[in-house]
């Protein structure tokens, strides 16, 4: 393939692709990245709307819902049913994880940034790349259709534990004896995630190949920006873990459709007077397979954000990244340990408690590389010259909030404490501090930072800061008290806690969090407004508006097809040479041939 | 706004920090611990809270201070540094030691709670069958039937345990069926064999600091010993004296998603003041169950 060869300048200015090839079935990594960005944004709002419905029910249990109540069947009397509630929190998590966070991090940012930051003209396999986006659409559509099938969309949580999810009716009957939502809805859920998995897999082989083979001259591994390291390790995690999830999904699909019994215990099950007949399987098997994928997957959901935040913090602190090598080792350490801790989701599952002891030790130790990363981010801003751009604020919020999410992990990793807090709101707090408060802030930081490169215009900094301030405030108000009610024992996935003497006094906090969540939801429209307004009216961006060092800033904004005019750039040093004492400016790009040469890998 | 952002972060983080001190005064805190696991689990919780609290304050203060002190000064340059090997060693080694320490101190408590080999001879044995959406308990007629004495050989202990498991899996005609209620007495080591007939559930007693999922196809034993009573069986009125205040109303909750009415799988925990009170209640329950038709009793499993 000639992609890595220089394309003569006249070439890309002359090729005019039609609308369809340019914007829809594009093979250009940048357009594919932007497509992932847009579909992710749509699903962010759908997932967010579901979350608000969940919060309305928890905040005012069984209350009459204004407006939305009218859409419910008349028999519900304007109120939510417990099954409906179960369905919407399951779909909220599914959509946010599989349709927003993973596609945004790897699909949008991975696609857009990898070739640009390593000085390549495109991905190694552009067609495969296009396919990886379009395979998401069957997944999207099946998931959306599932809301309208008999029984509604899947309702066994995003974790889909058998036998609630897998119990099937005998031949010729549809539905499930376990839950109305475990019928066709669950089947569609499984098929949808199969497609999403195929998409991720296509992306991941592409990223690995591209990063290994297509780096421009001088771009050694230890000169790669942190974003690239993170994307690289993430892609490896995906390639290794995804097959296991795929197998698990297929097994459950077979259980549900042709009556295999992989997850059905030998003695079968009884629902009322109806008995399933004997099985020969084991419900716990699903949990092992699922978490063998999904624990590494939680790192898939944060490592790319860690990489992006590292780049952004160094840029706006105008200071080299502190401890480049330890940062790389920490990513590798998280990824490696990430494969031997899945059992921490199963401490109370009935798995042999002696296994729990081993998983506990591994899990507690995984906090170590996370701590090392945090200290190095702090080291980066220390003695820096910090510019408070919207991107930087979101990146700093990432660091601050990741500390909270990481620390709460230790409570749950400690098996005896987990006996008490497992499946309480403490877990919900943890999830949201790592996934919302860290990853989503990281994503926002990335959008504010790379928007000029993506679209050739600047976003409004004023709106950006207002959006940040309100989001940071309302998100903390929404999620922080979840720690407290978790300590109070508030179970997760509960339709109504007020029937419990033990929990009912926590209800005022629930109402408070719901109000905060509604504000949080509406504040996000500021971001959308800023995004679309700037698309047309934003200030035109030059090549390197932030005075950054990495290669994407050598390309025009937005970069043309083929990314770089003339030859691909050459790299002379690491990506973090900010504030170099021997230079006039306070930055020294990787692609600048003059000026002080290397500090190997930018580290000591 | 420059330094203002440092203040903004500081105020919000301070608020989150203070919430931990305010919450207990509103009762938004760990519910009363009333089993022998209580002090152990809560101590470990506070230990981790202490260490994580320390690192929370440390990192956030450094962050906020740096945001203030090193905010943008036009024309100046940052201090050019790529890291510090000695610092890296320090901030890797110290947390490593602390984390390993935290991990190690958990082990013995975890063993006490969950290892079958550590479970003491049971004064009371209960069989619990979960189903959508209730807990169905069975009590053996003979209260301490599966207890072994302290001098028992390992083989004798094993035989007792096998017998108990066999009983839990095979109902007997004189068992006493009760729905959604755990009864025991203060100081009695209570063993519960957990099963489910349909989907996963999780048998949780927050006040006892115990939780265990039920798995289709498996019988899983757990145990606890209550350190406080909340009930007394009045032989005259033949009624339980129910706890007067909320803090003494101990409950069972299901904490593994099991369908629509997952939230409503509520049960109650009655810890009697004495063995006599427990047995008085049991006798009463026997009479009640005898007055029902025998088929119904058998079908209750
Ligand atoms: C310091 C490192 C971390 C530790 C020690 C840790 C530990 C744990 C433990 C023990 C659980 C299971 C709790 C339970 O179910 O009882 C858990 C759940 C979870 N963690 Fe972490 N975690 C860490 C970091 C992360 C990160 C970085 C992410 C994602 C970006 C993450 C995402 C999740 C999610 C999504 C769950 C909940 C899964 C569910 O049950 O729905 N964690 N964590
Ligand atoms: Cu995990
Ligand atoms: Cu349940």
């Amino acid at each position: 393939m000639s992609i890595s060869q220089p394309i003569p300048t006249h070439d890309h200015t002359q090729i005019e692709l039609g609308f369809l090839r340019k914007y829809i079935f594009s093979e250009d990594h940048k357009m594919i990245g932007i497509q992932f960005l847009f579909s992710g944004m749509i699903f962010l709002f759908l997932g967010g709307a579901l979350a608000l419905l969940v919060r309305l029910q928890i905040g005012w249990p069984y209350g009459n819902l204004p407006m939305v109540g009218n859409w419910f069947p008349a028999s519900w009397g304007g109120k939510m049913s417990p099954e409906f509630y179960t369905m919407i929190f399951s779909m909220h998590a599914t959509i946010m994880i599989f349709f927003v966070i993973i596609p945004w991090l790897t699909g949008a940012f991975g696609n857009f940034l990898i070739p640009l930051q390593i000085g390549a003209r495109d991905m190694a396999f552009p067609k495969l790349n296009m396919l990886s986006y379009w395979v998401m659409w069957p997944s999207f559509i099946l998931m959306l259709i599932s809301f309208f099938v008999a029984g509604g969309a899947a309702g066994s949580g995003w974790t889909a534990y058998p036998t609630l999810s897998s119990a099937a009716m005998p031949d010729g009957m549809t539905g499930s004896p376990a839950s109305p939502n475990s019928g066709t809805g669950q089947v569609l859920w499984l098929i949808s995630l199969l497609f999403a998995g195929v998409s991720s897999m296509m992306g991941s082989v592409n990223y690995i190949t591209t990063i290994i083979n297509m780096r421009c001259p001088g771009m050694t591994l230890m000169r790669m920006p942190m974003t690239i390291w993170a994307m690289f390790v993430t892609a490896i995690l995906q390639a290794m873990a995804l097959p296991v999830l795929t197998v698990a999904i297929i097994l459950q699909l077979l259980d549900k459709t042709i009556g295999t019994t992989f997850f059905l215990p030998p003695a079968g099950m009884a629902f009322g007077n109806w008995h399933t007949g004997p099985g020969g399987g084991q419900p716990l098997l699903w949990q092992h397979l699922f978490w063998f994928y999904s624990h590494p997957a939680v790192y898939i959901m944060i490592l790319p954000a860690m990489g992006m935040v590292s780049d952004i913090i160094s840029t706006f602190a105008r200071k080299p990244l502190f401890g480049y090598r330890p940062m790389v080792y920490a990513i590798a350490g998280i990824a490696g340990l990430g494969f031997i801790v899945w059992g921490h989701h199963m401490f109370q599952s009935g798995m042999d408690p002696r296994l729990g002891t081993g998983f506990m030790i591994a899990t507690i130790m995984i906090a170590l590389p996370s701590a090392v990363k945090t200290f190095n981010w702090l080291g980066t801003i220390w003695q820096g010259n910090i510019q408070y751009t919207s991107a930087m604020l979101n990146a700093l919020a990432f660091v601050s909030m990741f500390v909270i999410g990481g620390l709460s992990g230790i409570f749950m990793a400690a098996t005896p404490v987990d006996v008490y807090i497992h499946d309480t709101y403490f877990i919900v707090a943890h999830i949201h501090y790592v996934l919302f408060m860290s990853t989503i802030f990281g994503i926002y930081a990335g959008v504010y930072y790379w928007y000029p490169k993506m679209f050739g215009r600047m976003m409004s900094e004023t709106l950006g800061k207002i959006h940040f301030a309100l989001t940071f405030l309302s998100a903390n108000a929404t999620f922080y008290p979840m720690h407290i009610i978790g300590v109070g024992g508030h179970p997760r996935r509960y339709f109504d806690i007020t029937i419990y003497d033990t929990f009912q006094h926590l209800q005022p906090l629930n109402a408070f969090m719901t109000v905060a969540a509604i504000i949080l939801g509406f504040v996000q429209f500021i971001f959308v407004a800023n995004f679309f307004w700037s698309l047309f009216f934003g200030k035109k961006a030059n090549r390197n508006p932030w005075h950054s060092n990495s290669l994407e800033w050598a390309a025009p904004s937005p970069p043309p097809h083929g990314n770089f005019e003339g030859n691909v750039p050459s790299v002379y040093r690491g990506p973090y040479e900010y504030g170099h004492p021997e230079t006039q400016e306070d930055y020294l790009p990787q692609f600048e041939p003059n000026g002080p040469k290397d500090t190997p890998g930018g580290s000591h | 706004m420059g330094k203002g952002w440092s203040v903004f972060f500081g105020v919000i983080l301070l608020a989150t920090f203070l919430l931990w001190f305010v919450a207990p005064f509103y009762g938004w805190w760990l519910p009363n611990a009333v089993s022998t696991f209580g002090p152990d689990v809560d101590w470990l919780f506070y230990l981790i809270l202490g260490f994580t609290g320390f690192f929370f304050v440390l990192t956030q203060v450094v962050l906020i201070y740096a945001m203030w002190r090193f905010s943008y000064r036009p024309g100046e340059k940052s201090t050019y540094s790529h890291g510090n090997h000695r610092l890296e060693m320090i901030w890797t080694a110290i947390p490593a030691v602390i984390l390993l320490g935290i991990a190690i101190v958990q082990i013995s408590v975890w063993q006490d709670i969950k290892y079958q080999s550590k479970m003491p001879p049971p004064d009371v044995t209960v069989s619990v069958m979960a189903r959508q959406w209730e807990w169905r308990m069975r009590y053996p007629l003979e209260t301490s039937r599966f207890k072994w004495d302290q001098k028992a050989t390992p083989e004798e202990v094993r035989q007792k345990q096998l017998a108990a498991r066999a009983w839990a899996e095979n109902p007997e005609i004189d068992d006493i069926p009760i729905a959604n209620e755990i009864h025991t007495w203060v100081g009695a080591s209570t063993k519960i064999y957990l099963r489910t007939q349909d989907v996963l559930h999780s048998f949780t007693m927050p006040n006892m600091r115990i939780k265990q999922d039920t798995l289709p196809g498996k019988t899983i034993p757990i145990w606890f010993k209550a350190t406080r009573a909340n009930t007394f069986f009045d032989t005259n009125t033949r009624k339980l004296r129910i706890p007067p205040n909320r803090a003494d109303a101990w409950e069972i909750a299901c904490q593994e998603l099991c369908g629509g009415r997952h939230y409503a799988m509520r049960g109650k925990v009655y810890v009697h003041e004495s063995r006599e009170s427990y047995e008085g209640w049991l006798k009463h329950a026997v009479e009640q169950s005898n007055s029902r038709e025998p088929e119904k009793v058998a079908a209750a499993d």
Side-chain angles (χ1 to χ4, degrees):
Chain A
M1 196 167 299
S2 64
I3 288 285
S4 55
Q5 301 302 312
I7 301 179
T9 341
H10 59 248
D11 228 332
H12 60 258
T13 45
Q14 280 178 1
I15 301 173
E16 254 316 320
L17 298 169
F19 178 83
L20 214 60
R21 289 284 309 282
K22 191 164 173 196
Y23 294 110
I24 311 292
F25 296 106
S26 172
E27 294 175 21
D28 185 323
H29 70 100
K30 299 182 292 296
M31 187 49 66
I32 298 172
I34 289 166
Q35 289 171 334
F36 270 112
L37 188 68
F38 278 102
S39 46
M41 211 182 289
I42 295 170
F43 281 102
L44 178 71
F45 277 83
L46 180 60
L50 293 172
L52 291 188
L53 278 177
V54 172
R55 281 294 344 160
L56 279 176
Q57 167 61 30
I58 310 176
W60 293 280
Y62 221 53
N64 284 302
L65 296 176
M67 290 179 320
V68 267
N70 299 332
W71 306 336
F72 292 149
S75 59
W76 298 4
K79 300 172 198 307
M80 204 179 279
S81 76
E83 285 78 15
F84 183 83
Y85 171 80
T86 311
M87 173 183 97
I88 53 176
F89 74 66
S90 303
M91 296 312 284
H92 158 69
T94 305
I95 286 174
M96 289 300 198
I97 288 171
F98 295 106
F99 291 175
V100 180
I101 289 187
I102 296 180
W104 255 358
L105 287 177
T106 61
F109 286 106
N111 258 311
F112 188 82
L113 293 175
I114 290 173
L116 276 169
Q117 287 199 326
I118 64 172
R121 296 211 179 273
D122 206 318
M123 287 285 179
F125 312 114
K127 280 227 163 52
L128 189 69
N129 206 17
M130 173 182 83
L131 216 56
S132 85
Y133 179 69
W134 287 105
V135 165
M136 280 309 283
W137 276 93
S139 176
F140 293 155
I141 290 169
L142 289 172
M143 198 65 86
L144 292 177
I145 290 177
S146 79
F147 279 94
F148 302 99
V149 300
S156 353
W158 78 281
T159 48
Y161 282 6
T163 51
L164 179 64
S165 59
S166 72
M169 299 294 262
D171 283 348
M173 293 166 73
T174 53
S176 160
S179 155
N181 298 87
S182 298
T184 319
Q186 181 66 23
V187 173
L188 290 177
W189 187 91
L190 291 164
I191 301 175
S192 167
L193 291 193
L194 268 185
F195 279 103
V198 170
S199 160
S200 289
M201 193 50 125
M202 288 175 176
S204 104
V205 287
N206 217 342
Y207 302 164
I208 295 173
T209 318
T210 307
I211 293 173
I212 292 180
N213 281 342
M214 300 185 51
R215 282 170 284 129
C216 69
M219 179 60 87
T220 59
L221 287 178
M222 284 298 161
R223 279 175 177 169
M224 296 197 307
M226 233 40 204
T227 304
I228 300 299
W229 269 113
M231 294 289 175
F232 184 52
V233 172
T234 302
I236 295 174
L237 283 180
Q238 262 179 336
M240 286 167 64
L242 251 173
V244 180
L245 179 72
T246 310
V247 166
I249 288 179
I250 292 174
L251 296 185
Q252 191 178 126
L253 206 52
L254 294 177
D255 268 13
K256 287 200 79 67
T257 50
I258 65 166
T260 56
T261 59
F262 292 107
F263 303 120
L264 185 64
M269 296 173 302
F271 294 92
N273 291 328
W274 186 70
H275 204 276
T276 58
Q282 165 60 273
L284 208 55
L285 174 62
W286 167 268
Q287 295 185 32
H288 280 296
L289 297 176
F290 181 84
W291 290 116
F292 187 84
Y293 164 76
S294 285
H295 184 82
V298 305
Y299 293 112
I300 292 170
M301 293 180 239
I302 201 163
L303 286 180
M306 288 178 165
M308 301 193 302
V309 160
S310 305
D311 286 1
I312 293 168
I313 286 185
S314 172
T315 304
F316 292 113
R318 312 308 296 163
K319 188 165 168 284
L321 186 70
F322 201 88
Y324 179 91
R325 276 170 194 271
M327 287 293 238
V328 173
Y329 301 150
I331 290 186
I334 290 176
L337 277 175
F339 273 105
I340 54 165
V341 298
W342 79 89
H344 64 219
H345 297 276
M346 299 168 60
F347 288 146
Q348 320 307 333
S349 68
M351 175 180 78
D352 190 323
R354 287 170 297 186
L355 274 177
T357 308
F359 279 122
M360 167 180 72
I361 295 169
T363 302
I364 292 187
M365 292 322 287
I366 211 171
L368 187 60
S370 311
V372 168
K373 292 201 77 76
T374 305
F375 296 144
N376 278 299
W377 285 317
L378 294 177
T380 306
I381 61 168
W382 192 258
Q383 298 186 329
N385 197 15
I386 305 169
Q387 297 172 327
Y388 291 107
T389 57
S390 305
M392 183 61 164
L393 288 167
N394 281 281
L396 291 171
F398 174 102
V399 175
S400 174
M401 299 291 102
F402 177 68
V403 169
I404 299 178
L407 291 176
S408 64
I410 300 174
F411 288 81
M412 305 175 308
T415 45
V417 181
D418 188 65
V419 170
Y420 175 69
I421 57 179
H422 172 67
D423 265 335
T424 65
Y425 257 78
F426 203 86
I427 313 294
V428 182
H430 170 72
I431 301 176
H432 287 91
Y433 267 83
V434 284
L435 291 180
F436 188 108
M437 309 298 282
S438 304
T439 300
I440 297 284
F441 275 107
I443 287 171
Y444 280 149
V447 171
Y448 285 117
Y449 183 64
W450 279 294
Y451 189 93
K453 190 54 62 186
M454 289 181 175
F455 302 107
R457 288 180 187 271
M458 310 293 288
M459 284 178 90
S460 154
E461 277 292 313
T462 315
L463 282 181
K465 284 173 186 167
I466 294 173
H467 167 243
F468 167 74
L470 293 176
T471 305
F472 192 61
L473 188 69
S474 53
N476 272 301
T478 306
F479 299 116
Y480 204 87
M482 290 183 183
H483 293 104
I484 302 292
I485 63 172
V487 171
H490 190 317
R492 89 194 256 207
R493 296 170 169 173
Y494 262 33
F495 178 69
D496 177 9
I497 54 153
T498 56
I499 60 172
Y500 286 82
D501 294 320
T502 320
F503 310 128
Q504 55 178 225
H505 66 294
L506 301 169
Q507 195 53 29
L509 280 174
N510 269 335
F512 172 80
M513 287 183 280
T514 299
V515 174
I518 294 170
I519 297 172
L520 175 61
F522 281 96
V523 166
Q524 301 319 305
F525 286 105
I526 302 176
F527 174 78
V528 177
N530 191 355
F531 191 99
F532 287 102
W533 183 85
S534 305
L535 218 44
F536 303 103
F537 308 110
K539 198 164 80 62
K540 278 252 188 314
N542 62 22
R543 257 167 220 264
N544 192 355
W546 314 117
H547 296 176
S548 319
N549 284 342
S550 40
L551 289 187
E552 71 272 33
W553 307 105
S557 304
H561 196 64
N563 291 346
F564 302 98
E565 305 135 309
N567 293 340
V568 292
S570 290
V571 166
Y572 302 93
R573 57 186 71 77
Y576 298 114
E577 297 304 300
Y578 295 101
H580 200 295
E582 292 166 37
T583 56
Q584 177 99 48
E585 301 279 356
D586 70 346
Y587 67 114
L588 179 59
Q590 287 189 284
F591 46 86
E592 173 60 55
N594 304 315
K597 284 281 178 291
D598 210 6
T599 36
S603 88
H604 285 194
Chain B
M1 195 156 112
K3 292 184 195 302
W5 288 112
S6 159
V7 179
F8 178 69
F9 272 61
V11 169
I12 290 179
L13 289 165
L14 186 66
T16 64
F17 186 67
L18 290 180
L19 187 58
W20 290 94
F21 297 93
V22 175
F25 289 100
Y26 287 87
W28 299 329
W29 202 242
L30 296 166
N32 290 337
V34 295
S35 78
T36 52
F37 302 146
D40 292 344
V41 170
D42 291 4
W43 185 80
L44 290 171
F45 172 81
Y46 286 113
L47 179 81
I48 299 175
L49 191 62
F51 276 110
T52 53
F54 172 77
F55 277 100
F56 172 81
V57 172
L58 182 77
T59 47
Q60 307 290 3
V61 164
V62 170
L63 177 77
I64 292 163
Y65 175 77
M67 284 176 70
W68 175 274
R69 172 74 180 70
F70 305 110
S71 77
Y72 195 59
R73 303 156 318 266
E76 275 186 41
K77 271 191 186 174
S78 62
T79 307
Y80 182 74
S81 151
H82 283 100
N84 180 321
H85 190 71
R86 154 116 29 97
L87 259 180
E88 300 284 353
M89 294 317 259
I90 294 173
W91 70 36
T92 309
I94 293 177
V97 172
I98 293 177
L99 288 169
L100 199 62
I102 288 181
I104 288 169
V105 296
Q106 312 293 328
I107 296 175
S108 70
V109 178
W110 173 244
Q111 291 176 334
D112 281 347
I113 299 177
K114 288 280 169 102
Y115 279 31
Q116 284 188 48
S117 54
K118 299 263 177 175
M119 294 182 184
D123 294 307
V124 193
T125 303
V126 189
S127 157
V128 174
M129 177 65 110
R131 66 171 200 176
Q132 288 177 325
W133 286 275
E134 62 177 351
W135 309 99
R136 303 189 137 202
M137 284 70 172
R138 271 189 297 116
Y139 292 80
L141 193 57
E142 186 196 333
T143 299
S144 294
R145 177 168 158 194
F146 302 107
K147 187 173 183 175
W148 58 87
D149 65 63
Q150 297 294 353
K151 294 190 294 284
T153 63
E155 182 52 28
E156 284 163 350
V157 172
R158 210 174 72 88
Q159 289 306 328
K160 280 283 187 194
Q161 284 174 338
L162 285 177
R165 185 179 282 267
W167 167 78
E169 290 170 356
N170 301 287
E172 291 171 12
I173 191 71
D174 53 4
D175 292 339
I176 298 111
I178 303 281
N180 299 321
E181 288 179 16
I182 285 291
H183 286 261
T184 183
W185 67 92
V186 64
S189 66
T190 310
K191 194 150 185 184
I192 303 176
Y193 284 87
L194 292 170
R195 294 192 297 152
T196 168
Q197 69 175 55
D198 44 36
V199 300
L200 303 184
H201 301 273
S202 186
F203 185 84
T204 306
M205 295 187 286
N207 298 89
M208 304 295 167
R209 306 289 190 265
I210 182 78
K211 171 180 297 132
Q212 175 61 55
D213 290 7
T214 62
L215 265 185
K218 253 190 125 179
T219 305
I220 304 173
I222 57 167
W223 80 284
F224 73 99
K225 186 190 277 188
T227 50
R228 258 177 59 193
N230 67 351
T231 305
F232 165 75
F233 184 72
D234 191 330
T235 37
N236 298 324
T237 60
R238 327 210 85 218
K239 280 210 169 72
L240 287 173
R241 206 182 63 197
I242 309 295
N245 63 357
R246 187 176 62 73
D248 283 334
W250 305 327
E251 289 168 310
I252 304 166
C254 177
Q255 296 206 6
E256 185 62 64
L257 182 61
C258 58
R261 292 182 59 75
H262 166 53
Y263 75 102
M265 252 176 101
R266 170 169 169 264
K268 295 198 161 172
V269 186
Y270 294 106
V271 178
H272 292 252
E273 281 174 1
S274 62
R275 182 171 186 142
E276 291 66 47
S277 166
Y278 170 84
E279 289 191 326
W281 163 80
L282 192 72
K283 205 160 140 244
H284 174 66
V286 172
E287 284 159 15
Q288 288 224 313
S289 79
N290 283 348
S291 65
R292 274 180 268 157
E293 297 160 49
E295 292 91 331
K296 272 217 179 128
V297 178
D301 186 80

